[in-house]
Amino acid sequence: MDTLETRELRYFLAVAEELHFGRAAQRLGMAQPPLSRAIQQLERRLGVALLQRNRRGVALTNAGEMLLHEGRAALDATTAAARRTRRAGGADRPGSSRNRLVLAVKAGSSHELLHKLLDAYAVEPDAAEIEVLPSGTCEQGEMLRDGRADVALMHAPFNSLTGFDSEELMTEGQIAILPAGHPLATHRTLSLADIDNIPDLPLARWAHDGAYPPGPGPEIRDQTQLAQLIALGRTVAVFPDSARSWLWAEHTAVPLTDAPPVVTHIAWPAHSRSLALAGLIRTATRL
C-alpha cells in the first residue's frame, strides 16, 4: 500500500492535532463512529499503529508522528496545486489577468524595497500582474506552502526558509517602536534588555504557528491595532528599521544596538517552473 487518499489524511490530521476523536469529529462535521472506523482502516492498510488509545484519549505513535508531519506537507501540496491551477486559469478571480503572481509580504516591513521591486518589475516586457498580499508575522511560509502565495518577502531569522529557494535582497538593523512621550523615547540607542521589562509597557505579542508566546503584553492581530496600542502607551514593539515608513507622529523609533540584523529574502517554492516568477526574481536580484 503506497498511496493515501486526501480524505484519509484530513481525517487522520484532525485526530492527530486534536488528540481526541470527539473533537476531531466535530471539527470535521461528522459522527465519531465512522471517523474511528476510517482511522482503523487506514492503520490496517498501512500495516502500522498510528495512535495509542486509552481512557484519557489518544497519543501518537512514532509512525503517527511521521504521518502527521508528512501528511501536513502532502495536504498543503495538493491544496497549493489546486489554488495555483485555478489562479493560472483565472478561475479564482473572474475577470482578472491569467498572468498573475501573488506576493506575500509582512505588513509594514520592507516598504521601500517593495516599492522599488514593483516599479522595476512593472516595466519589464511581459510582466505579470502582481497582487500584494499582506500577512502577519511568520505567515509568509505557510502561504507559500498552501498556494495562497507564489512568492514572498521573508525575513531571517524570524522566517524559516527551509524548503524554499531564495535570494538575499537586503540587510538592516532593528528598532524599538515606543510611545513618543515615553522617557526611553529620548534615548539615541537602546538594548534589548532596556525594553524587556518596562513597567506598564510590556512587549507586544504576535501569534506564531497559531499560538501567542507567554507574557503580559497584548496579543496583536494586525499592524493597525499595534500602532494604536503603541500610540496609547500600552505596548512597545521591535521591528526591522524599514518599519519607520508606517510610524505615526505618536511613535518614536530608537535603534537597538544588540538586536540581530534582519535579512530580507525573496523566496519561492523550490519546484516552481513559472516564467513570470523567474522574471520577478531576476528583477529583485538587480535592485
Side-chain angles (χ1 to χ4, degrees):
M1 186 278 190
D2 294 324
T3 60
L4 292 167
E5 298 178 5
T6 55
R7 176 184 59 85
E8 293 177 313
L9 286 177
R10 283 196 298 271
Y11 286 1
F12 171 75
L13 290 180
V15 176
E17 291 169 355
E18 298 290 343
L19 292 177
H20 191 281
F21 275 94
R23 290 194 298 268
Q26 185 176 18
R27 169 174 151 181
L28 293 165
M30 64 187 299
Q32 182 175 334
L35 175 59
S36 298
R37 289 194 295 270
I39 298 299
Q40 290 170 353
Q41 183 182 22
L42 176 60
E43 289 178 314
R44 287 195 297 270
R45 291 178 60 214
L46 288 172
V48 296
L50 300 171
L51 303 167
Q52 294 175 340
R53 299 158 175 83
N54 55 49
R55 293 181 180 179
R56 292 176 296 177
V58 296
L60 292 171
T61 64
N62 288 340
E65 292 278 4
M66 177 62 71
L67 186 57
L68 174 61
H69 174 75
E70 297 287 344
R72 282 172 174 162
L75 276 186
D76 279 346
T78 58
T79 301
R83 282 176 169 158
R84 292 193 175 108
T85 298
R86 287 175 54 81
R87 189 152 59 240
D92 66 322
R93 185 180 296 177
S96 66
S97 170
R98 296 189 179 187
N99 187 24
R100 184 167 121 255
L101 293 172
V102 176
L103 170 61
V105 298
K106 177 184 173 183
S109 293
S110 306
H111 185 73
E112 183 177 353
L113 175 65
L114 179 60
H115 259 296
K116 289 180 178 178
L117 174 58
L118 295 177
D119 290 346
Y121 180 67
V123 299
E124 291 290 324
D126 301 319
E129 175 188 342
I130 303 295
E131 177 186 343
V132 177
L133 183 61
S135 69
T137 301
C138 300
E139 289 183 346
Q140 303 98 307
E142 181 182 347
M143 291 177 170
L144 286 181
R145 281 187 288 271
D146 67 16
R148 282 177 289 167
D150 302 297
V151 59
L153 294 184
M154 299 173 70
H155 310 279
F158 308 113
N159 296 124
S160 171
L161 297 168
T162 302
F164 305 121
D165 286 340
S166 66
E167 290 284 350
E168 182 178 323
L169 301 183
M170 180 179 73
T171 300
E172 60 185 319
Q174 296 194 67
I175 54 175
I177 303 176
L178 299 144
H182 194 275
L184 288 179
T186 63
H187 289 225
R188 295 184 62 183
T189 62
L190 292 169
S191 69
L192 289 171
D194 290 332
I195 63 169
D196 188 39
N197 288 296
I198 306 174
D200 301 321
L201 199 66
L203 277 165
R205 293 181 295 141
W206 292 88
H208 183 62
D209 293 332
Y212 287 93
E219 297 179 352
I220 302 301
R221 294 180 299 276
D222 57 55
Q223 181 185 319
T224 301
Q225 177 202 24
L226 174 65
Q228 185 170 31
L229 288 174
I230 295 174
L232 291 171
R234 302 301 176 89
T235 191
V236 59
V238 175
F239 264 80
D241 190 78
S242 56
R244 293 175 185 270
S245 62
W246 58 262
L247 298 188
W248 298 1
E250 296 92 339
H251 301 153
T252 295
V254 180
L256 292 167
T257 57
D258 56 350
V262 176
V263 183
T264 300
H265 298 254
I266 188 166
W268 63 96
H271 62 270
S272 177
R273 297 295 182 270
S274 166
L275 295 178
L277 176 57
L280 180 64
I281 303 305
R282 285 194 300 272
T283 300
T285 57
R286 290 199 298 264
L287 293 178

